Amino acid sequence: MTEQNDLFAEEPDGSSLPSGHATDETPAAQAERLRNEINQHNYRYYTLDEPSIPDAEYDRLMRTLQNLEQQHPELISADSPTQRVGAQPLTEFEEVQHDIPMLSLDNAMNADEFAAFYQRVQDRLKSHDDIALACEPKLDGLAVSLLYEEGALVRAATRGDGQTGENITQNVRTIKNVPLKLYGDNYPSRIEIRGEVYMPKAGFEAYNDKARENDEKVFANPRNAAAGSLRQLDPKITARRPLEFCAYSIGVVSDDAQLADTHSGILQQVKNWGIKINPEMRVVQGLEAAQTFFETLGEKRHSLDYEIDGTVFKVDDLGLQQTLGFVARAPRWAIAYKFPAVEEMTLLQGVDFQVGRTGALTPVARLNPVHVAGVTVSNATLHNMDEIARLDVKVGDTVIIRRAGDVIPQVVSVVTEKRPADAQDIRMPSHCPVCDSLVEKVEGEAVARCTGGLVCSAQRKEAIKHFASRKALDIEGLGDKLIDQLVDAGLIDSVDDLFHLTLEQLSGLERMAEKSAQNILDALNKAKNTTLARFLYALGIREVGVVTANNLATHFGFLQRIMDASEEALIEVPDVGAIVAAHIHNFFAEQHNRVVIAQLQKAGINWAESEPQTTAQDLPLSGQTAVITGTLTSSNLSRDEAKALLQQLGVKVTGSVSAKTDFLVAGEKAGSKLTKAQSLDVDVLDEQAFLALLAEHGLSPQG
Ligand code: IVH
């Protein structure tokens, strides 16, 4: 049993939260009260991880304070919780001298090296007793120093070379869990808090996913992401990055400080001032307990929501720390005991393309098996073709693989110096590796997809579930579980097989009574009479939802016409843009899909077809957007009447002028809309021109 005492589990005293307040308070007093209240909630939320009010209530407090400060700008203070972002971009960072150097740590790479560290400590202290060690995760981010004067954050700096860092105050102010004002009132008049700024794993993954979608820079790991985010000259950019701060020591401190005499005691004080410390932190006695802590944390490592690369052990007693002193740039009283690396180098032997449930083709790197953080890795994701281009990776390359937590191993970079002369480019296959249907790559989309939605076994279950769903063919009783059962039992491969199921097959399934089986057969029969819109939706064409399916059915009237339509013809359908048109066209271009449609019709699926109905699309001015302003004096039309006339011609009438406006109808006394239209080069029609336009299409103000 490890001797671990849970130092930091103490309950906060909730009674200090302010409740009611006098209604006659001055704006200054109100601002002060709101700030205190918000700071208390911040403390509970970020430091104690025990929020006491719902987010909406917190937002309400923030908004009230913002409004108050807007009305009384003289009340705004630098440490107001509303003032995190706001500073202008810098041209460069200023230098900061660290009064007390920011040290680094010696490393231990295995149990022997760690035992040797412990032995050295005991020898130097001439002690045979167990030594109390504070154990903390070694966070994988960037060391940062925060300077507080009279409780207010006055400066934040990077470690730099340990002596000289950079002033990144503007950026650190945007990190939400860094208090702009310390909590409580028993903090020293001046204190420097040191710790790590890092990007939690979830935030990192989400950031990279979005960056990949938008073709922006992707970070190789959370550490680079944290460093890159802090190095922004514009604090507004940093503010959008999900960063956190966690304290692990103090630096400069004023004489009025009353500090604990242990490292863990000081961290508890830091926590009481509203700064996050690591909740995994424990104090253990002796080498064996320390080794156990290391192993336990190693097991827990991947389930933590931030990356760590080891455990930092520090002699807890500050008196003993002083006796031990420093060598060069590292203390003798601390060590970083590292976990196995999460990044390794290996050879990319080839790339396979995996087809997902929705038909997306994902390139997967086949690797020379390599040991990464305790696991043998032989595959890694390459995400999509854009990522392959970004990495500039080829088959035969030596690549760096990263495995973090439960996330699939990733290829993070290429060691280009090691590229062999015969390295091969990676190409997207033109046909699906699973069903041989065409692969579509729509311009503007990162992902390539198999178009064999109805036949591809990788997409089979999803396709059938969609086909049977309520807004599609609405096959009652045919739920997801039953579809799984039917596919797994090999009874159906594709949607048309549904209509050849027999009573015997169905009632042979587990937990299926004959009566239920008959009900399903009846439901299948009933579903055969459907509508073209439902059928189109049921096909599961990408981005063709209920509305688009309806529009397609109304516009074309006949399935065959849709199947044969060109992309240009498809774009004429309301709601269908270039990308959706390409999806529809590619779907029907795939012969396999046409075969399934024919089989479905042969099985009895039917609907009424009719000549297309007129849609707004067919009106003379369809697709045009207009704005009406001013008074139409000679025709005496109200703006609503003028609007109705334009709408009869298919014009969309909106309230404000933008670059998308085709023309502005300007009556007398037209004001800012006219100016805006002129500045945007939008056509302007005076009343006469407007009436002429109506007349041209057979309309007159009298109706
Ligand atoms: S203590 C004198 N504690 O590791 C002690 N450092 O290799 C100085 N780090 O620059 C640091 N987690 O950026 C300490 N719990 C922790 C840490 C930690 C991460 C980083 C820190 C430092 C580097 C030293």
Side-chain angles (χ1 to χ4, degrees), residues 468-513:
S469 65
R470 205 171 48 77
K471 293 181 195 159
L473 283 224
D474 194 16
I475 306 171
E476 227 171 290
L478 192 64
D480 290 2
K481 282 217 181 86
L482 181 55
I483 292 171
D484 286 342
Q485 259 182 307
L486 289 167
V487 174
D488 294 342
L491 295 176
I492 52 173
D493 276 346
S494 150
V495 285
D496 52 314
D497 294 338
L498 283 170
F499 300 96
H500 303 294
L501 284 169
T502 64
L503 187 65
E504 205 181 359
Q505 285 173 325
L506 278 167
S507 52
L509 291 171
E510 227 176 284
R511 288 189 302 278
M512 176 71 77

Side-chain angles (χ1 to χ4, degrees), residues 103-105 136-139 143 159 196 248 312 314 331 333:
L103 300 173
S104 63
L105 293 168
E136 303 161 22
K138 185 170 189 296
L139 297 162
R159 172 171 179 268
E196 200 86 344
Y248 52 62
V312 180
K314 297 168 187 167
W333 43 262

